């Protein structure tokens, strides 16, 4: 009998949950250690239907534009692949993104940053990965923005990513940053990750080969979800 | 067989932040002309003939404040313990005024553990929000079910863990209450699985 299980998560490569430099974590981060249990239901997960994804869902320059007006700012391509820890591409993975507009403002009533809303930009997009695990978004370079933390601090330019692979246990929510942004290294949310290599893996790399073909700046961001292992078990006898 | 030394690192988490609704449930914040429906609005389609249950509750921070900017996601099997790729997933947020979430779903059946033992009916729950650098995972079990013989609950009960926090309380027929405590005496048990 073949049994599937998820590769154990390596918390050394993940952010610290209880990280007071990020003030909002102080009263929200659980204090107890997580309890380790074998994955079971979490091996399965929802699979999203191609038919639910609209043609413009991955084009944020058009999916909210009025009368074909472009949002302000410069266009960028954000692309990459979703694979598991064994380098197997994951097809049909759902990627949902959200981001601020070029002025660093979200289309959200709770965003108190006094920057202008862009009537042609929602900052919302989604896509399913192709059979080779690849995805692509056309969007606008998000601006950095101030937010209250230890006084006013600035978030580096970023795009929020939510990803569903094949298993509920592979679920990932993260952020992509932009190569060269000086705000990355002073961001407490980034610095909640102690491991330098892990931190760097969140930085989208300028992809000049792609930019030159399409005349639009391109960034590459590859995403790795937890691996799913197949283990062979001898069929056990009743009562053992 | 792939060499285990070549195993890649999982991409690290970052907080979902306070504006996750834009990407995950735009219709909820009146970004209406983008997606026809938000994903996971109902966990099961075509279940009218089956008795549904309601699981309601709040997510409390360390100050005892019920939060309204968290996103909850659930994953479960159907009443017969069967999984379906396009069913069983739900996504919801607490109501802005009552600070309570409400999940209308079918009561899950039992599922088999690796060793063939049945696991008590449960729903997998994940929680993401501002202030959480990683998404949290827990499980919703149900008061009134056989929880003593559940292989997972009996495995962890020696660890002085707050098993009670994993059990939704039945307040009337088909209605359960499940509150989540991020911190404090009643801190909910969160899993690494
Ligand atoms: Fe953000």
């Amino acid at each position: 009998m073949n049994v599937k299980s998820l590769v154990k998560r390596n918390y050394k490569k993940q952010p610290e949950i209880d990280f007071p430099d990020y003030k909002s974590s102080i009263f929200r981060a659980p204090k107890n250690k997580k309890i380790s249990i074998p994955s079971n239901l979490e091996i399965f997960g929802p699979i999203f239907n191609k038919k639910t994804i609209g043609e413009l869902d991955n084009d944020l320059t058009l999916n909210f534009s009025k009368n074909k007006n472009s949002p302000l700012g410069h266009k960028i391509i954000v692309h990459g692949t979703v694979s598991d820890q064994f380098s197997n591409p994951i097809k049909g993975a759902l990627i949902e993104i959200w981001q601020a507009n070029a002025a660093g403002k979200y289309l959200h009533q709770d965003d108190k940053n006094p920057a202008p809303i862009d009537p042609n930009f929602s900052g919302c997009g989604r896509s399913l990965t192709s059979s080779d695990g690849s995805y692509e978004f056309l969007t606008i370079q998000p601006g950095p923005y101030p937010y209250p933390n230890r006084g006013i601090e600035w978030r580096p330019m970023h795009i929020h990513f939510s990803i569903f692979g094949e298993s509920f246990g592979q679920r990932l929510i993260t952020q992509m940053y932009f190569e060269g942004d000086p705000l990355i290294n002073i961001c407490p949310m980034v610095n909640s990750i102690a491991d330098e290599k892990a931190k760097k893996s969140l930085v989208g790399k300028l992809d000049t080969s792609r930019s030159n073909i399409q005349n639009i700046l391109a960034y590459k961001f590859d995403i790795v979800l937890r691996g799913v292992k197949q283990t062979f078990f001898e069929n056990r006898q009743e009562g053992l | 067989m792939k060499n285990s030394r070549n195993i890649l690192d999982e991409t690290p988490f970052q907080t979902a932040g306070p504006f996750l609704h834009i990407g995950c449930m735009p219709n909820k914040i009146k970004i209406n002309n983008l997606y026809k429906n938000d994903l996971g609005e109902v966990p099961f389609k075509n279940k009218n003939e089956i008795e549904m249950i309601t699981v309601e509750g709040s997510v409390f921070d360390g100050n005892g404040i019920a939060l309204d900017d968290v996103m909850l996601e659930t994953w479960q099997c159907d009443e017969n313990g069967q999984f379906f790729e396009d069913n069983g997933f739900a996504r919801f947020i607490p109501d802005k005024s009552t600070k309570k979430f409400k999940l209308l779903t079918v009561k899950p059946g039992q599922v088999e553990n690796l060793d063939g033992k049945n696991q008590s009916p449960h729903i997998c729950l994940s929680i993401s929000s501002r202030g959480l650098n990683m998404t949290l995972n827990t499980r919703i079990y149900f008061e009134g079910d056989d929880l003593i013989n559940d292989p997972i609950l009996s495995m962890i009960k020696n660890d002085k863990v707050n098993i009670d926090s994993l059990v939704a309380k039945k307040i009337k027929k088909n209605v359960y209450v499940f509150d989540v405590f991020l911190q404090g005496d009643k801190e909910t048990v969160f899993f690494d699985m």
Side-chain angles (χ1 to χ4, degrees), chain A residues 98-100 106 145 155-156 158-160 175 189, chain B residues 15-19:
Chain A
W98 62 101
Q99 64 168 90
Y106 285 95
Y145 59 83
R155 291 300 330 275
H158 63 277
I159 299 178
H160 294 267
Q175 300 179 32
M189 296 178 211
Chain B
T15 182
F19 310 125

Side-chain angles (χ1 to χ4, degrees), chain B residues 1-133:
Chain B
M1 267 297 271
K2 277 178 178 138
N3 193 327
S4 63
R5 270 174 297 177
N6 292 337
I7 191 164
L8 303 172
D9 289 334
E10 183 193 12
T11 300
F13 276 76
Q14 290 279 265
T15 182
F19 310 125
L20 53 86
H21 317 90
I22 298 173
C24 298
M25 35 182 68
N27 289 297
K28 271 256 154 49
I29 54 162
K30 300 193 179 78
I31 300 179
N32 287 323
N33 10 18
L34 218 54
Y35 303 157
K36 204 167 145 237
N37 298 104
D38 290 336
L39 294 174
E41 277 182 337
V42 288
F44 292 95
K45 287 150 222 133
N46 313 318
K47 285 281 181 194
N48 310 338
E49 75 282 8
I50 306 247
E51 253 188 19
M52 305 287 270
I53 59 162
T54 302
V55 182
E56 56 185 41
S58 296
V59 180
F60 295 95
D61 72 4
N63 293 320
I65 293 169
L67 305 176
D68 62 13
D69 62 352
V70 293
M71 176 173 74
L72 300 97
E73 292 174 323
T74 53
W75 170 241
Q76 66 170 97
C77 59
D78 74 356
E79 67 280 10
N80 301 313
Q82 297 294 310
F83 285 99
F84 297 94
E85 292 183 336
D86 54 350
N87 268 320
F89 169 69
R91 194 180 235 181
F92 43 97
I93 52 175
D95 181 86
K96 273 268 175 203
S97 52
T98 66
K99 317 286 182 202
K100 276 191 178 156
F101 63 80
K102 203 173 253 187
L103 169 67
L104 185 66
T105 188
V106 300
K107 177 127 186 296
Q110 292 183 327
V111 283
E112 245 186 37
N113 211 13
L114 270 187
D115 53 10
K117 271 190 195 159
N118 277 328
Q119 291 198 12
S120 296
H122 63 277
I123 295 175
C124 303
L125 169 66
S126 86
I127 298 169
S128 308
S129 87
R130 170 175 74 83
L132 292 177
N133 282 328

